[in-house]
Every structure is written in C-alpha cells, then in structure tokens.
Amino acid sequence: MSMSAGWYLRRLSRMGPGEVGGRAGDAVRRRRWRSARPKCPSVTGARFTAVLPAGTVAAIPPDAAKRLIAEADRLMYGHAEYFGVVRDDLDDPDWWSDPKTGRRAPWGYAFDVPYRNEDAVGDIKQIWELSRHQYLTVLAAAYALTGNERYAERVADHLRSWWKANPPLRGVHWISGIELGIRLLSWVWVRRLLDGWHGAAALFEDNPVALNQIWHHQRWLAAFPSRGSSANNHVIAEAAGQFAAACAFGWFPTSARWRADALRSLERHLRGNTFDSGLNRELASEYHGLVLELGLAAVAEADAAAVPVPASIRLVLLRMTDALAAVVDDRLRPPRQGDADDGHGLIVDGAGTDRWGSLLATGDAVFGRLDWWPTVTGTDVRTPLLAALIRPYAKNGRVTRPASRPAHFADAGMTILRSPDGIWCRCDGGPHGFLSIAAHAHADALSLEVRHDGVDVLADPGTYCYHGQPEWRRYFRSTLGHNTLELDGADQSVSGGPFLWTRHARSRVLVADTSSEGVACWSAEHDGYQRSVHRRRVELTAGSQELRVVDEVSSKDGPRRAVRLAFHLGPAISADLVGNWAVLTWTRDGEDRSAVLDLPGQLSWRAHRGETEPPLGWYSAGFGRKEPATTLVGTGFADGVEGFTTVLRFRG
C-alpha cells in the first residue's frame, strides 16, 4: 500500500506547528545521517549487573515452566506462527523475507525503504515481528529454567546472524522506533536470562558488534521519537526500550543522558496515553495490554538498577491494572475494541498462557489485588520474573483505589453491563480515538459487544490487517463492521487512510445506571452523521436474561435516511433467521446454549456469511487471521419518529 500525495496532505492537516517543525528537523537529520555514521565509543570493563535475584527461577510454577519449554522446543525445531502464517525456517531465518507473500525487502539506506508498499517490500508486519526477538527471550528463559546450553547457543547464533545482516541504518529493521524499542527490551532480557551461561559476556558486553548495535539503537531512538499526532503506544515502546537499555546496558558516555531523557518521556507519555480512570486513551484494548506490559518492564529495569522513578509512573500502572480487572469478562477476556495487532511488550511464556490473567497476576504481585478483582487460576513465567525485580508498591494514603468493581468509565465512555447469570455487555459512548489522527480507532460509536459466559454472542469482528489489503482494512474499521447503525452507506467518522481519520464522530453518554440489581441501563448519542443524531438505549434485565436495544435517528432536515443496522455474531454462534426472528445456538463446555434475537420489524433482514465482494460476515480472532461468521443486517429507512427495537433473550 503506497501513500498518495493526497494522503500526505491529509496527514499534514492533522499536525500542529510544533509537530511539523519537529518532523522537518527529522528529515534534515535523516539526510545528514545518510553519509555521517559515527562510530560507537570504545567501551572497557563493561559488566552486566541487572541479574535476577537468587531463587527467582525456582519459584516459577511447574506447569508454566512446562509450557515454556514446549514452546522453546518448537522454536528449536524451526517452527513458529506469526499472524496466521506458519514458518519453518527458524533454524536459520532470513531476516528480510516475508513468508506470506514470498517477497524480500530491498537493501539500502533505512529511510529510503518503502515499507508501506507491500508490492515492493512484502507484509512489513511479518518481516518486523521475528526481529522483535521475543522468540529469543523464550529460548533464553528455557535456558534459565533447564541449564541446557543448546537454547543459549541458538540465541547466540541468531543474534550474531541478525547483527551481521542488519548493520546500523541499513535495511527495513531500522525504520520504525517501536521495533527498535521492543528489540532493545528483548536484548536486555536475553542477557539477563543467559546470565548463568559461560558465553553470555562474550555475546554482549565483551562483543564490539553487540555494543555497536546497542549504542546505535539508542542513538536512533534519541534522535527520532514519535511526535505529536503519532505519540501513541509507539512512543511508550520507544521510551521503555531506551530506558531499559540505558539502565541495564549503561556502559556508554551518553547512557545517563539517554536514561534521564527516556524516563521523562515515559512519565509524560504514560500519563498522556492514559485516562484518569486507568483505561488507555487509544480505546484499543490490546494496546492497553501492550502499554501496561511495557510500563511494568520499564519499572523492573529501574528497580533492578536502583534508578528512582516518579511516583506518577507507578500510579498510572496501578490504575491501568485496576481498570483491566474491572472490564474483563467472566473468562478474563477484555473488550475487543479498536485495533489489535497481537503486540506484546515482553514474552517469556509458552502457548496457552493467558495474557490477561498473567497481567492481573503481576498486578497482584506488584500492587496487591482488591477484593472485587476476578480470580486468576492460571500460572505464568513472566509474573515471578517481574515481581522479583519490581519493588512492592508502597501504599499511599493519598491514592484511592476503587472499593467496588467499576462499571462506568466516564472519561473513556465505556460502560460494562453485567448480570449474575454470565451476561457481559460493553457499551461504547466514548471519544472516537486518541490524538488528531486517532490511528487505531474504528468507526464504532455506540457499538455493543455481548458475551455469555465468555462466548462472543454479539461480537466485535476485530482487526485482521493493517497494510496491503485496503478493502479488508476498510471493512474491519467501518461502521457496518460493528454492532451499530449506519446511515446512507457512510461511516460515522471519515477515514483519510489506514491509520488516519480526518473527521471524528463525537459521542455523549446520557445515562449509565449500573447500580440497579434489576435493570441496568445505558444511553448515548453521537453526531457523526452531521444532519442526524443517532441515539441508542440499552437495558439489561438480569432476572429475565434479556437485553433490549433501542435505536433512534433524529434528523434536522432532508429526506428519510437509508439505514443499515448490523449485528455480528461470534464464530461459535449458529443462526436460523426467519423474517425478523433469529434463533442463536452454540455450545459451551459441552453444554448446548441458545438465545433468541427479536429484530426490528421495520427493517428487512438478511444473514451474511463469508462474503468478499464487498467483505461482510467475518470475525478476526487475531492479527492476520479471519474466519467466516454470521452477520445479520437490517435495511430500511429512518423516519425520525419510530425507533428500532432489538431484544436478545437468553434461554436457560
């Protein structure tokens, strides 16, 4: 996907003067760096001291260790899967090759590589993911657990291979700051987990090639931080990686300055990226997890190096953890809101480890769980490793944590309706997204997610892709691609490109009454259709297991407006649609379940599944993966008087 001149103009229109000036300076610096490549200063007597405390590895639960070692052995056999694509070349990977398209990124000065053009480069996510080196942290953790040197030797071989193939400022892996930041964080943990291996020092602090790579990574991050409208989760990863490396690899004359600058950036942007309620401002649940992981990893490095951090950093991470505990469903799944690209801050666990349970377990170890937190029954490797480095949170009488489970997050516009019989419903009445471009937002104002005992019944379809498939990117971000109402075939917000929105719908929550034991109620409206206002009311009646949704459209002038009302069913749900009546069936833990969806009779209803021209009826469980799922779409007209009432009744 190449960006047109029009895209660049639209992108420029979303920047302020300060950002424009900063980017102009970046452009000058990139031209200068093309020919001026300074050498890493000489380093003597470097030692790695940020080791794990004695007994840490022994405290890892046996089942978590077993999963990790199984994952490490799969990697040793050369097998891995990234974004739905299986690759079997991990014994000797080609760092520039995309296994999905078969293309290979071109060589050259990093900032000349057209990484957004899939025809020239391949799928950039596929190429970048392996070079985050998070699979190497898994192999290093397997060494720490077993002492088997074959894991350590494979890590060393791959690092030497990568360093040789990717000299500073050459090639596709020197383009994006988030990649450099996460890679640095991986290298810190690789060195830590290999500390007992006889070759660890020779691989890192006594290796001029490694020192050169570490220094140039940090120099790059110091020079090209994400700015202004791009200062979202990327800038957190950049600051966290820079800070971690400057703490653990603080061997250079500029390390102290890099560390101080990165800490200031991390503190500023953690606050800026997080609502006071603790939810991430991008309103994309997976990025909440990514930012929380990065923040915890950064604090671990600070405490390991005895570097003081501002109290505000720990407070933000505390609030993020409490917010996560508040919004997950009965199976510890968070909302599926906004973009999701399967990005992680630190991976040291095997397949089958629950990411969200792991974060809550770490939160318990670091901050202490509250009585209303959901119970975490699973185990993980990462929690004991982080908890061994992070000092326990000092209780502060000025910090108030929620006495009961929050259900309405006013600043984020998110409301969770729950019933004692396993119904979980997320209602979206918040901002369109974060910053002027709202890069990871979807046109999903007033959308719903409904689950029963953790099963997606009315589902958010997900994300699927970023680059290279514009028709699929448009669909998964669209208003029609969510459980909400579309007018005149248009999205509520106006897209200017795959990570750019030029006009944002404004939503307003009118009612959020979650205190009643009988009927929980939510109502909101948005102005995304300009001449019309879409208002939605949702009522959850616990005793009758009934969810009632009423949609109204009020128009200031003009003719009746064409309506499409969509309800996306989860992939486990089968639907039998007759007229405006749909019987939904699924199986959970071997037990048959069912519900009835009574749809508005004023609309003409049709079931869609797995359609491609245009896309409709799909569910993406993870980045790069999609599967057919049933979408029920009602078409008709809004007359401005009568509302559209939908009733979902669960049986038994």
Side-chain angles (χ1 to χ4, degrees), residues 363-444:
D364 184 4
V366 173
F367 303 117
R369 73 185 307 276
L370 297 173
D371 291 340
W372 54 261
W373 275 28
T375 300
V376 176
T377 57
T379 61
D380 69 312
V381 173
R382 188 175 59 190
T383 289
L385 297 183
L386 287 175
L389 298 176
I390 301 175
R391 60 177 176 80
Y393 185 72
K395 293 183 178 180
N396 186 332
R398 293 172 295 178
V399 175
T400 302
R401 298 175 68 183
S404 58
R405 191 174 200 169
H408 176 57
F409 298 81
D411 47 10
M414 182 187 293
T415 305
I416 306 293
L417 307 181
R418 300 176 187 268
S419 73
D421 34 33
I423 302 173
W424 175 98
C425 175
R426 173 181 67 85
C427 304
D428 180 3
H432 174 62
F434 182 47
L435 302 173
S436 63
I437 64 172
H440 292 297
H442 291 185
D444 57 356

Side-chain angles (χ1 to χ4, degrees), residues 464-546:
Y464 178 53
C465 66
Y466 281 168
H467 300 283
Q469 297 171 282
E471 72 281 7
W472 290 100
R473 177 65 170 152
R474 282 193 294 269
Y475 169 67
F476 278 98
R477 306 165 84 211
S478 70
T479 296
L480 184 62
H482 294 83
N483 297 315
T484 188
L485 183 143
E486 177 201 78
L487 289 184
D488 294 338
D491 287 337
Q492 308 150 338
S493 296
V494 177
S495 173
F499 296 98
L500 171 64
W501 295 92
T502 56
R503 183 171 59 77
H504 303 180
R506 294 176 299 178
S507 300
R508 182 167 67 106
V509 175
L510 306 173
V511 176
D513 183 2
T514 62
S515 60
S516 172
E517 296 182 2
V519 180
C521 181
W522 172 88
S523 178
E525 63 183 19
H526 77 83
D527 66 355
Y529 296 122
Q530 297 183 301
R531 292 184 298 106
S532 300
V533 172
H534 172 208
R535 182 176 295 112
R536 169 171 275 187
R537 180 178 178 86
V538 179
E539 296 177 353
L540 175 60
T541 305
S544 62
Q545 297 193 70
E546 178 180 288

Side-chain angles (χ1 to χ4, degrees), residues 608-626:
H608 303 262
R609 185 177 179 87
E611 298 173 10
T612 58
E613 295 181 358
L616 185 59
W618 295 91
Y619 179 94
S620 175
F623 196 84
R625 293 171 284 156
K626 68 180 187 302

